[in-house]
Amino acid sequence: MDSLVPLFTTTDGRISRKTWWFGVVILILASIVLNLILGVFGISAAWAQLIAFAIMFVPNWSIGIKRRQDRDSDARDFKIFLAISGILTVLQALGIGTTDVDVAGVPTQMPSLPLSLVYFAVGIYGIYVLVQLGFLRGTTGSNSFGRDPLDGAA
């Protein structure tokens, strides 16, 4: 438990792909539970997503930065992705760029065409970030952000 708190609260050092995926699974499960709880209180999906984004921001930031640092990067690409995601989440919660439509009796927000194109572009950028964080090996040996979390192991 002692190693979980700094994993989700600091940006010092490096983490391996395995540790990053472990953190991502924990954050996904926590986000699902949080969204269910918010749903019980009648909070709309868009606002629940914004609240979850805000609560999960620091843990996401921490593991993402440390993972990019493992690849000897200042994480600018990850920071940009998180900022754009936050802006889009706020726009969605406020209903900016969306229209309300009835889908099988359920009122749903649909993004406009320009906003849909932005979502598509951010999705492609998200795939790039996912590959960087979750699939590419970190720098072997020490780098400018610390020692190798694998200590030279594959």
Side-chain angles (χ1 to χ4, degrees):
M1 185 65 163
D2 291 339
S3 64
L4 281 181
V5 172
L7 175 65
F8 294 116
T9 59
T10 69
T11 58
D12 298 332
R14 302 164 57 179
I15 58 173
S16 66
R17 287 174 287 186
K18 179 181 176 182
T19 303
W20 181 80
W21 280 110
F22 173 74
V24 166
V25 168
I26 289 174
L27 291 178
I28 288 171
L29 293 175
S31 182
I32 290 169
V33 169
L34 180 59
N35 277 289
L36 288 173
I37 291 169
L38 293 171
V40 166
F41 288 105
I43 297 174
S44 73
W47 281 99
Q49 187 177 7
L50 179 61
I51 292 167
F53 181 88
I55 291 171
M56 300 292 188
F57 181 81
V58 169
N60 275 311
W61 177 269
S62 297
I63 65 171
I65 299 293
K66 283 187 277 205
R67 183 66 195 118
R68 286 302 280 134
Q69 289 175 173
D70 187 42
R71 297 195 25 81
D72 209 13
S73 168
D74 66 359
R76 185 175 300 141
D77 53 356
F78 175 71
K79 293 172 186 176
I80 291 168
F81 177 73
L82 219 54
I84 293 170
S85 296
I87 291 167
L88 289 175
T89 303
V90 169
L91 290 176
Q92 181 180 351
L94 295 174
I96 297 172
T98 63
T99 56
D100 291 328
V101 295
D102 186 33
V103 177
V106 178
T108 306
Q109 287 184 332
M110 295 297 291
S112 64
L113 179 60
L115 190 57
S116 293
L117 295 173
V118 171
Y119 280 129
F120 180 74
V122 172
I124 298 296
Y125 189 57
I127 292 169
Y128 159 79
V129 171
L130 177 64
V131 169
Q132 290 292 321
L133 296 173
F135 296 103
L136 298 179
R137 191 183 194 306
T139 306
T140 302
S142 294
N143 69 20
S144 55
F145 297 99
R147 66 176 190 78
D148 189 343
L150 300 177
D151 292 323

